[in-house]
Amino acid sequence: MVLSRGWSLFLVGVGVWTWVIWPRFAVAIWNDPRAWSTGTVAEGDPTSFLWVHALLIAASLAIGTTVGVLGVRGWLTARRRPTA
């Protein structure tokens, strides 16, 4: 399957968007008192709140990276394809 340039650009945008949004969310989760057993940021043991969100963030970054790479590959393929 060959993606059009428009869809390829959309997929690259989704990949970039993922890397803009999720790291900021990770900082917010880290700084949330619910993420720590003592209720104080970075003190005590991490709670399941932190672990669940860390897993969600990691999965989202992996999926976003994959989508972005597919978009870049689609764009490069569309660029090489001769227009008839």
Side-chain angles (χ1 to χ4, degrees):
M1 177 174 144
V2 178
L3 295 171
S4 68
R5 287 184 183 181
W7 280 111
S8 296
L9 189 58
F10 173 76
L11 293 178
V12 170
V14 169
V16 170
W17 175 258
T18 298
W19 277 95
V20 168
I21 294 301
W22 285 105
R24 295 179 67 204
F25 184 66
V27 171
I29 294 299
W30 182 268
N31 291 327
D32 193 317
R34 295 174 291 177
W36 304 98
S37 61
T38 61
T40 304
V41 175
E43 290 185 15
D45 295 325
T47 64
S48 57
F49 177 84
L50 178 67
W51 288 116
V52 167
H53 283 86
L55 180 62
L56 291 170
I57 292 164
S60 295
L61 288 172
I63 293 167
T65 300
T66 302
V67 167
V69 168
L70 290 173
V72 168
R73 290 182 66 184
W75 178 267
L76 293 174
T77 300
R79 245 184 47 189
R80 284 187 232 126
R81 193 175 52 211
T83 54

